[in-house]
Amino acid sequence: MQHRSQKLYGSRAVLKSRFPALGTPAPHYEVEQDGTLVINNVTVKDAGSYSCQATNIMGSASASAPAYVLERTIIFIKPQDKNVKEDVNVDLRCEAKTDKSLELRYYWKRDDATIVYDSKTEWLEGENVLKISDITVEDAGIYTCVAYTPEPKRSEDTASAVVNIQGVPFPPTSLEIQRKHAKIALQH
C-alpha cells in the first residue's frame, strides 16, 4: 500500500503505522508505542521513501510511502515602519519565497482586520507593494503582510510595519470630568 506525505521544511511529520515498532530511530525521529513514526524539525534530508515492516508467527507485511519536503513560505523583504505627513502616498513592500511547486499568495491586514483593496488602498501585485494614496490620520495603524500558500499545503509567514501619520490628533472622546475640592491658602 502506497501513501504520499508532503511536509514543510522545519515542520513536524507524522507517519502512521498499524504495528508497534522495534529498534532505535535517529535523534530527530521518534517512534510512538503504536508504531507511528514522528519526524521533528523536518529537513530536506528527510525526503525519501519510508517503509514499515511487521513480522509475527503468521508471516510478515510491509508498506512503503514516499515523503517529499517542501520549502516553507518566508518573507525576505519586510515592510518598513513609516512616519509620514498627511496627504502623501505610502508604499509598503513585502516579498516572500516558497517552494516552487506551490502557489504563493498575499493579503494585508491593518490592525488585524483584512484590508479590502480599493482605489485608495491597492495591492500592486507585480511590484509586491501595498499602496495607500492620500494618507490621513485615519489610515494610521499596524499593517501586516501575510504571504501564504493555500490548502492543502498551507504555509504562511507574516511581517508588520507601523504607519504613523503626523498631523492634528483627533479630539479626545469618552471623557469623564470629576470635581475635586481643594483649599488654596494664599500667603502674603
Side-chain angles (χ1 to χ4, degrees), residues 105-120:
R105 296 181 185 174
Y106 296 87
Y107 69 91
W108 282 83
K109 299 188 294 184
R110 182 172 70 93
D111 299 331
D112 288 326
T114 300
I115 294 174
V116 177
Y117 305 123
D118 56 23
S119 60
K120 180 174 173 47

Side-chain angles (χ1 to χ4, degrees), residues 164-178:
N164 285 315
I165 314 303
Q166 301 167 358
V168 178
F170 290 115
T173 59
S174 302
L175 292 178
E176 184 178 313
I177 299 174
Q178 297 178 350

Side-chain angles (χ1 to χ4, degrees), residues 121-146:
T121 308
E122 303 174 81
W123 172 242
L124 306 176
E125 190 170 358
E127 301 172 39
N128 290 354
V129 169
L130 179 71
K131 183 179 187 91
I132 309 163
S133 301
D134 299 320
I135 202 156
T136 64
V137 174
E138 291 90 1
D139 296 315
I142 299 171
Y143 285 79
T144 302
C145 173
V146 180

Side-chain angles (χ1 to χ4, degrees), residues 4-5 7 13-17 29 35-39 50 65-67:
R4 289 175 48 124
S5 179
K7 289 296 169 193
V14 177
L15 304 171
K16 292 279 188 187
S17 171
Y29 292 78
T36 300
L37 174 64
V38 177
I39 307 171
Y50 288 82

